[in-house]
Amino acid sequence: MKQKDRKQEMLDAYTLELIRQVESEGLRKAPAHMKAEILERSRKPDYQIALQTRRLSRNMQFFFYSLKVGAAVATALFLLFTVPREIPQNDGFFDREPGQAREASIGEKFNEGLRDFNQMLTEITISNQNRQGED
């Protein structure tokens, strides 16, 4: 903890000194060759490859986001048109004998399937985030 405080004090002192220097002398000019070096470096193949990889990664993120939104819209439309407008008051729960097992309704099966699908999407999202964190 003391080391962090000492480092912070040194950083603050350096920052204040830099502020004083800039106020007294003005901003420093960049070296004349700096622009040419930056432009030259940006044309090199290794930089272009890194740039393309970053663009591809962004495109893949957008693609996965689009898939998720599309799946959500499709699911919402499916639910909108398949869920009954009126929910029956009696689902037959009380009509059975006490010892009879209750069979899962279509709605319960559908909910279970949606939970499985949601879990799968969550796992895919987490694995993608983990892979991006490693990069």
Side-chain angles (χ1 to χ4, degrees), residues 40-60:
E40 182 182 325
R41 174 80 174 114
S42 68
R43 291 185 190 107
K44 289 189 176 181
D46 62 333
Y47 180 79
Q48 293 296 325
I49 290 171
L51 187 63
Q52 290 297 331
T53 303
R54 200 173 318 128
R55 283 185 189 148
L56 180 63
S57 176
R58 288 182 187 154
N59 288 342
M60 289 303 289

PDB file of all heavy atoms in Angstrom, residues 40-60:
ATOM      1  N   GLU A  40       4.660   5.881 -43.147  1.00  0.00           N
ATOM      2  CA  GLU A  40       5.407   4.720 -43.642  1.00  0.00           C
ATOM      3  C   GLU A  40       5.025   3.458 -42.861  1.00  0.00           C
ATOM      4  O   GLU A  40       4.804   2.396 -43.430  1.00  0.00           O
ATOM      5  CB  GLU A  40       6.902   4.978 -43.515  1.00  0.00           C
ATOM      6  CG  GLU A  40       7.766   3.851 -44.038  1.00  0.00           C
ATOM      7  CD  GLU A  40       9.237   4.155 -43.823  1.00  0.00           C
ATOM      8  OE1 GLU A  40       9.622   5.334 -43.922  1.00  0.00           O
ATOM      9  OE2 GLU A  40       9.987   3.203 -43.553  1.00  0.00           O
ATOM     10  N   ARG A  41       4.942   3.592 -41.556  1.00  0.00           N
ATOM     11  CA  ARG A  41       4.586   2.447 -40.701  1.00  0.00           C
ATOM     12  C   ARG A  41       3.167   1.956 -41.005  1.00  0.00           C
ATOM     13  O   ARG A  41       2.899   0.764 -41.000  1.00  0.00           O
ATOM     14  CB  ARG A  41       4.693   2.865 -39.221  1.00  0.00           C
ATOM     15  CG  ARG A  41       4.210   1.826 -38.252  1.00  0.00           C
ATOM     16  CD  ARG A  41       5.264   0.766 -38.025  1.00  0.00           C
ATOM     17  NE  ARG A  41       4.825  -0.130 -36.986  1.00  0.00           N
ATOM     18  CZ  ARG A  41       4.542  -1.410 -37.182  1.00  0.00           C
ATOM     19  NH1 ARG A  41       4.702  -1.952 -38.366  1.00  0.00           N
ATOM     20  NH2 ARG A  41       4.145  -2.157 -36.193  1.00  0.00           N
ATOM     21  N   SER A  42       2.271   2.891 -41.291  1.00  0.00           N
ATOM     22  CA  SER A  42       0.883   2.494 -41.559  1.00  0.00           C
ATOM     23  C   SER A  42       0.743   1.732 -42.878  1.00  0.00           C
ATOM     24  O   SER A  42      -0.243   1.038 -43.087  1.00  0.00           O
ATOM     25  CB  SER A  42      -0.033   3.712 -41.560  1.00  0.00           C
ATOM     26  OG  SER A  42       0.240   4.536 -42.671  1.00  0.00           O
ATOM     27  N   ARG A  43       1.725   1.857 -43.752  1.00  0.00           N
ATOM     28  CA  ARG A  43       1.671   1.134 -45.025  1.00  0.00           C
ATOM     29  C   ARG A  43       2.305  -0.256 -44.960  1.00  0.00           C
ATOM     30  O   ARG A  43       2.177  -1.034 -45.891  1.00  0.00           O
ATOM     31  CB  ARG A  43       2.383   1.959 -46.102  1.00  0.00           C
ATOM     32  CG  ARG A  43       1.634   3.215 -46.463  1.00  0.00           C
ATOM     33  CD  ARG A  43       2.294   3.945 -47.616  1.00  0.00           C
ATOM     34  NE  ARG A  43       1.706   5.250 -47.788  1.00  0.00           N
ATOM     35  CZ  ARG A  43       2.299   6.397 -47.466  1.00  0.00           C
ATOM     36  NH1 ARG A  43       3.518   6.398 -46.985  1.00  0.00           N
ATOM     37  NH2 ARG A  43       1.688   7.533 -47.645  1.00  0.00           N
ATOM     38  N   LYS A  44       2.982  -0.553 -43.878  1.00  0.00           N
ATOM     39  CA  LYS A  44       3.660  -1.851 -43.759  1.00  0.00           C
ATOM     40  C   LYS A  44       2.636  -2.981 -43.631  1.00  0.00           C
ATOM     41  O   LYS A  44       1.564  -2.813 -43.052  1.00  0.00           O
ATOM     42  CB  LYS A  44       4.607  -1.861 -42.567  1.00  0.00           C
ATOM     43  CG  LYS A  44       5.827  -0.995 -42.801  1.00  0.00           C
ATOM     44  CD  LYS A  44       6.840  -1.186 -41.727  1.00  0.00           C
ATOM     45  CE  LYS A  44       8.093  -0.380 -42.057  1.00  0.00           C
ATOM     46  NZ  LYS A  44       9.113  -0.563 -41.056  1.00  0.00           N
ATOM     47  N   PRO A  45       2.976  -4.170 -44.162  1.00  0.00           N
ATOM     48  CA  PRO A  45       2.033  -5.304 -44.156  1.00  0.00           C
ATOM     49  C   PRO A  45       1.614  -5.757 -42.755  1.00  0.00           C
ATOM     50  O   PRO A  45       0.446  -6.098 -42.554  1.00  0.00           O
ATOM     51  CB  PRO A  45       2.797  -6.418 -44.872  1.00  0.00           C
ATOM     52  CG  PRO A  45       3.881  -5.742 -45.626  1.00  0.00           C
ATOM     53  CD  PRO A  45       4.185  -4.475 -44.906  1.00  0.00           C
ATOM     54  N   ASP A  46       2.531  -5.756 -41.798  1.00  0.00           N
ATOM     55  CA  ASP A  46       2.144  -6.238 -40.468  1.00  0.00           C
ATOM     56  C   ASP A  46       1.099  -5.328 -39.832  1.00  0.00           C
ATOM     57  O   ASP A  46       0.181  -5.801 -39.158  1.00  0.00           O
ATOM     58  CB  ASP A  46       3.368  -6.390 -39.560  1.00  0.00           C
ATOM     59  CG  ASP A  46       4.102  -5.077 -39.321  1.00  0.00           C
ATOM     60  OD1 ASP A  46       4.018  -4.188 -40.198  1.00  0.00           O
ATOM     61  OD2 ASP A  46       4.751  -4.957 -38.267  1.00  0.00           O
ATOM     62  N   TYR A  47       1.195  -4.031 -40.080  1.00  0.00           N
ATOM     63  CA  TYR A  47       0.187  -3.108 -39.557  1.00  0.00           C
ATOM     64  C   TYR A  47      -1.139  -3.308 -40.282  1.00  0.00           C
ATOM     65  O   TYR A  47      -2.206  -3.287 -39.663  1.00  0.00           O
ATOM     66  CB  TYR A  47       0.666  -1.656 -39.714  1.00  0.00           C
ATOM     67  CG  TYR A  47      -0.332  -0.653 -39.195  1.00  0.00           C
ATOM     68  CD1 TYR A  47      -0.444  -0.393 -37.838  1.00  0.00           C
ATOM     69  CD2 TYR A  47      -1.186   0.018 -40.068  1.00  0.00           C
ATOM     70  CE1 TYR A  47      -1.360   0.503 -37.353  1.00  0.00           C
ATOM     71  CE2 TYR A  47      -2.112   0.925 -39.588  1.00  0.00           C
ATOM     72  CZ  TYR A  47      -2.201   1.160 -38.242  1.00  0.00           C
ATOM     73  OH  TYR A  47      -3.127   2.048 -37.768  1.00  0.00           O
ATOM     74  N   GLN A  48      -1.088  -3.503 -41.593  1.00  0.00           N
ATOM     75  CA  GLN A  48      -2.311  -3.720 -42.366  1.00  0.00           C
ATOM     76  C   GLN A  48      -3.019  -4.998 -41.934  1.00  0.00           C
ATOM     77  O   GLN A  48      -4.242  -5.047 -41.857  1.00  0.00           O
ATOM     78  CB  GLN A  48      -1.983  -3.771 -43.872  1.00  0.00           C
ATOM     79  CG  GLN A  48      -1.505  -2.451 -44.438  1.00  0.00           C
ATOM     80  CD  GLN A  48      -2.576  -1.382 -44.377  1.00  0.00           C
ATOM     81  OE1 GLN A  48      -3.748  -1.665 -44.541  1.00  0.00           O
ATOM     82  NE2 GLN A  48      -2.152  -0.156 -44.108  1.00  0.00           N
ATOM     83  N   ILE A  49      -2.239  -6.045 -41.650  1.00  0.00           N
ATOM     84  CA  ILE A  49      -2.829  -7.301 -41.179  1.00  0.00           C
ATOM     85  C   ILE A  49      -3.528  -7.097 -39.844  1.00  0.00           C
ATOM     86  O   ILE A  49      -4.648  -7.559 -39.635  1.00  0.00           O
ATOM     87  CB  ILE A  49      -1.750  -8.398 -41.089  1.00  0.00           C
ATOM     88  CG1 ILE A  49      -1.293  -8.811 -42.490  1.00  0.00           C
ATOM     89  CG2 ILE A  49      -2.268  -9.609 -40.318  1.00  0.00           C
ATOM     90  CD1 ILE A  49      -0.087  -9.717 -42.502  1.00  0.00           C
ATOM     91  N   ALA A  50      -2.876  -6.381 -38.932  1.00  0.00           N
ATOM     92  CA  ALA A  50      -3.486  -6.111 -37.622  1.00  0.00           C
ATOM     93  C   ALA A  50      -4.758  -5.299 -37.785  1.00  0.00           C
ATOM     94  O   ALA A  50      -5.763  -5.551 -37.103  1.00  0.00           O
ATOM     95  CB  ALA A  50      -2.497  -5.377 -36.726  1.00  0.00           C
ATOM     96  N   LEU A  51      -4.743  -4.328 -38.686  1.00  0.00           N
ATOM     97  CA  LEU A  51      -5.919  -3.494 -38.931  1.00  0.00           C
ATOM     98  C   LEU A  51      -7.071  -4.324 -39.499  1.00  0.00           C
ATOM     99  O   LEU A  51      -8.217  -4.201 -39.053  1.00  0.00           O
ATOM    100  CB  LEU A  51      -5.546  -2.364 -39.896  1.00  0.00           C
ATOM    101  CG  LEU A  51      -6.586  -1.302 -40.141  1.00  0.00           C
ATOM    102  CD1 LEU A  51      -6.896  -0.564 -38.853  1.00  0.00           C
ATOM    103  CD2 LEU A  51      -6.090  -0.322 -41.194  1.00  0.00           C
ATOM    104  N   GLN A  52      -6.759  -5.200 -40.473  1.00  0.00           N
ATOM    105  CA  GLN A  52      -7.797  -6.048 -41.059  1.00  0.00           C
ATOM    106  C   GLN A  52      -8.372  -7.010 -40.029  1.00  0.00           C
ATOM    107  O   GLN A  52      -9.573  -7.281 -40.021  1.00  0.00           O
ATOM    108  CB  GLN A  52      -7.231  -6.824 -42.261  1.00  0.00           C
ATOM    109  CG  GLN A  52      -6.938  -5.954 -43.458  1.00  0.00           C
ATOM    110  CD  GLN A  52      -8.168  -5.289 -44.018  1.00  0.00           C
ATOM    111  OE1 GLN A  52      -9.261  -5.803 -43.922  1.00  0.00           O
ATOM    112  NE2 GLN A  52      -7.986  -4.109 -44.578  1.00  0.00           N
ATOM    113  N   THR A  53      -7.521  -7.540 -39.165  1.00  0.00           N
ATOM    114  CA  THR A  53      -7.983  -8.456 -38.119  1.00  0.00           C
ATOM    115  C   THR A  53      -8.946  -7.742 -37.182  1.00  0.00           C
ATOM    116  O   THR A  53      -9.979  -8.296 -36.793  1.00  0.00           O
ATOM    117  CB  THR A  53      -6.783  -8.998 -37.319  1.00  0.00           C
ATOM    118  OG1 THR A  53      -5.886  -9.621 -38.229  1.00  0.00           O
ATOM    119  CG2 THR A  53      -7.229  -9.986 -36.271  1.00  0.00           C
ATOM    120  N   ARG A  54      -8.614  -6.513 -36.823  1.00  0.00           N
ATOM    121  CA  ARG A  54      -9.484  -5.732 -35.944  1.00  0.00           C
ATOM    122  C   ARG A  54     -10.828  -5.460 -36.622  1.00  0.00           C
ATOM    123  O   ARG A  54     -11.887  -5.572 -36.003  1.00  0.00           O
ATOM    124  CB  ARG A  54      -8.794  -4.427 -35.573  1.00  0.00           C
ATOM    125  CG  ARG A  54      -9.377  -3.798 -34.335  1.00  0.00           C
ATOM    126  CD  ARG A  54      -8.595  -2.587 -33.852  1.00  0.00           C
ATOM    127  NE  ARG A  54      -7.162  -2.743 -33.899  1.00  0.00           N
ATOM    128  CZ  ARG A  54      -6.336  -1.877 -34.484  1.00  0.00           C
ATOM    129  NH1 ARG A  54      -6.806  -0.793 -35.063  1.00  0.00           N
ATOM    130  NH2 ARG A  54      -5.042  -2.085 -34.489  1.00  0.00           N
ATOM    131  N   ARG A  55     -10.788  -5.129 -37.913  1.00  0.00           N
ATOM    132  CA  ARG A  55     -12.031  -4.881 -38.655  1.00  0.00           C
ATOM    133  C   ARG A  55     -12.868  -6.153 -38.733  1.00  0.00           C
ATOM    134  O   ARG A  55     -14.079  -6.126 -38.571  1.00  0.00           O
ATOM    135  CB  ARG A  55     -11.720  -4.382 -40.060  1.00  0.00           C
ATOM    136  CG  ARG A  55     -11.302  -2.959 -40.103  1.00  0.00           C
ATOM    137  CD  ARG A  55     -11.124  -2.497 -41.531  1.00  0.00           C
ATOM    138  NE  ARG A  55     -10.508  -1.191 -41.558  1.00  0.00           N
ATOM    139  CZ  ARG A  55      -9.703  -0.759 -42.503  1.00  0.00           C
ATOM    140  NH1 ARG A  55      -9.410  -1.541 -43.516  1.00  0.00           N
ATOM    141  NH2 ARG A  55      -9.187   0.450 -42.453  1.00  0.00           N
ATOM    142  N   LEU A  56     -12.208  -7.281 -38.999  1.00  0.00           N
ATOM    143  CA  LEU A  56     -12.915  -8.549 -39.091  1.00  0.00           C
ATOM    144  C   LEU A  56     -13.557  -8.890 -37.746  1.00  0.00           C
ATOM    145  O   LEU A  56     -14.694  -9.342 -37.690  1.00  0.00           O
ATOM    146  CB  LEU A  56     -11.956  -9.663 -39.526  1.00  0.00           C
ATOM    147  CG  LEU A  56     -12.561 -11.058 -39.671  1.00  0.00           C
ATOM    148  CD1 LEU A  56     -13.628 -11.056 -40.761  1.00  0.00           C
ATOM    149  CD2 LEU A  56     -11.488 -12.070 -39.995  1.00  0.00           C
ATOM    150  N   SER A  57     -12.826  -8.648 -36.677  1.00  0.00           N
ATOM    151  CA  SER A  57     -13.354  -8.919 -35.344  1.00  0.00           C
ATOM    152  C   SER A  57     -14.599  -8.078 -35.087  1.00  0.00           C
ATOM    153  O   SER A  57     -15.587  -8.570 -34.560  1.00  0.00           O
ATOM    154  CB  SER A  57     -12.292  -8.635 -34.292  1.00  0.00           C
ATOM    155  OG  SER A  57     -12.830  -8.800 -33.004  1.00  0.00           O
ATOM    156  N   ARG A  58     -14.548  -6.814 -35.462  1.00  0.00           N
ATOM    157  CA  ARG A  58     -15.716  -5.948 -35.288  1.00  0.00           C
ATOM    158  C   ARG A  58     -16.882  -6.438 -36.133  1.00  0.00           C
ATOM    159  O   ARG A  58     -18.030  -6.419 -35.695  1.00  0.00           O
ATOM    160  CB  ARG A  58     -15.367  -4.514 -35.652  1.00  0.00           C
ATOM    161  CG  ARG A  58     -14.488  -3.856 -34.632  1.00  0.00           C
ATOM    162  CD  ARG A  58     -14.214  -2.430 -35.003  1.00  0.00           C
ATOM    163  NE  ARG A  58     -13.236  -1.854 -34.097  1.00  0.00           N
ATOM    164  CZ  ARG A  58     -12.437  -0.868 -34.406  1.00  0.00           C
ATOM    165  NH1 ARG A  58     -12.477  -0.337 -35.603  1.00  0.00           N
ATOM    166  NH2 ARG A  58     -11.580  -0.407 -33.528  1.00  0.00           N
ATOM    167  N   ASN A  59     -16.582  -6.873 -37.360  1.00  0.00           N
ATOM    168  CA  ASN A  59     -17.642  -7.391 -38.221  1.00  0.00           C
ATOM    169  C   ASN A  59     -18.256  -8.660 -37.635  1.00  0.00           C
ATOM    170  O   ASN A  59     -19.474  -8.854 -37.720  1.00  0.00           O
ATOM    171  CB  ASN A  59     -17.109  -7.667 -39.623  1.00  0.00           C
ATOM    172  CG  ASN A  59     -16.822  -6.388 -40.378  1.00  0.00           C
ATOM    173  OD1 ASN A  59     -17.312  -5.329 -40.012  1.00  0.00           O
ATOM    174  ND2 ASN A  59     -16.015  -6.480 -41.421  1.00  0.00           N
ATOM    175  N   MET A  60     -17.431  -9.522 -37.056  1.00  0.00           N
ATOM    176  CA  MET A  60     -17.958 -10.743 -36.443  1.00  0.00           C
ATOM    177  C   MET A  60     -18.817 -10.406 -35.229  1.00  0.00           C
ATOM    178  O   MET A  60     -19.862 -11.018 -35.015  1.00  0.00           O
ATOM    179  CB  MET A  60     -16.812 -11.681 -36.041  1.00  0.00           C
ATOM    180  CG  MET A  60     -16.102 -12.320 -37.208  1.00  0.00           C
ATOM    181  SD  MET A  60     -17.206 -13.271 -38.283  1.00  0.00           S
ATOM    182  CE  MET A  60     -17.560 -14.637 -37.223  1.00  0.00           C
TER     183      MET A  60
END
